[in-house]
Amino acid sequence: MSATEHVRLLVIGGGPAGFTAAMYAARGGLEPVCVEGYDSGGQISRSPRVENFPGQPGAIGGADLAALIREQAVQFGARTVFDDVVEVELTASPFRIRTSGQDFLTDALIIAMIATKDSISIPP
Ligand SMILES: Cc1cc2nc3c(=O)[nH]c(=O)nc-3n(C[C@H](O)[C@H](O)[C@H](O)COP(=O)(O)OP(=O)(O)OC[C@H]3O[C@@H](n4cnc5c(N)ncnc54)[C@H](O)[C@@H]3O)c2cc1C
């Protein structure tokens, strides 16, 4: 395990939501770290054909789209980490985030993980 690294913003999740957040944060100069987790690129990577993405007329393969979304975030300075987050400690600032490979302290945290219909409970 390497030394704890202190960052300004850490994003948990390497799907469209996580990378979109990371892209805007990177463009704003926050040098975010985006921890992608076990499902690198997110669920959209498994779509054979995405026809409804804004700015993408026609269809694009989901894996290609995910790669483009990641590339755009990285272009602006986001850093990606291919670990899982295994522990978060939010009781004190900066927050402590442990991944399967590294410990981070982060001033801010965006959580963009596990968007499945089963993981979201909408009250009636
Ligand atoms: C087969 C399929 C086809 C689809 N086709 C379309 C389509 O054509 N058009 C459309 O609009 N939508 C489609 N969707 C839906 C679309 O993929 C999702 O709405 C979208 O991926 C949600 O993005 P997200 O970033 O919120 O979450 P997700 O894509 O679910 O990403 C969650 C991220 O969180 C990460 N994560 C989870 N736990 C941890 C952890 N402990 N540590 C670190 N990271 C973690 C995962 O690794 C993943 O990278 C499809 C979905 C599937 C499964």
Side-chain angles (χ1 to χ4, degrees):
M1 182 85 61
S2 51
T4 299
E5 183 180 350
H6 192 155
V7 299
R8 293 169 74 187
L9 172 66
L10 189 139
V11 179
I12 305 177
F19 272 119
T20 301
M23 179 181 68
Y24 280 93
R27 198 161 176 261
L30 293 179
E31 301 175 325
V33 168
C34 187
V35 184
E36 291 205 37
Y38 61 91
D39 191 9
S40 176
Q43 294 174 62
I44 203 74
S45 306
R46 296 192 285 285
S47 180
R49 191 177 160 85
V50 181
E51 296 177 320
N52 60 334
F53 202 80
Q56 286 282 344
I60 181 170
D64 292 338
L65 179 59
L68 286 173
I69 294 171
R70 180 191 295 108
E71 183 184 324
Q72 197 173 10
V74 168
Q75 262 175 16
F76 283 116
R79 206 173 95 210
T80 67
V81 171
F82 292 97
D83 294 340
D84 285 319
V85 170
V86 294
E87 195 176 318
V88 296
E89 176 59 62
L90 304 178
T91 52
S93 181
F95 307 128
R96 183 174 291 277
I97 311 297
R98 173 164 291 170
T99 77
S100 40
Q102 192 178 349
D103 282 358
F104 289 94
L105 291 173
T106 184
D107 298 331
L109 176 67
I110 293 176
I111 300 174
M113 52 190 273
I114 317 180
T116 67
K117 63 178 174 50
D118 300 323
S119 66
I120 301 166
S121 166
I122 300 169

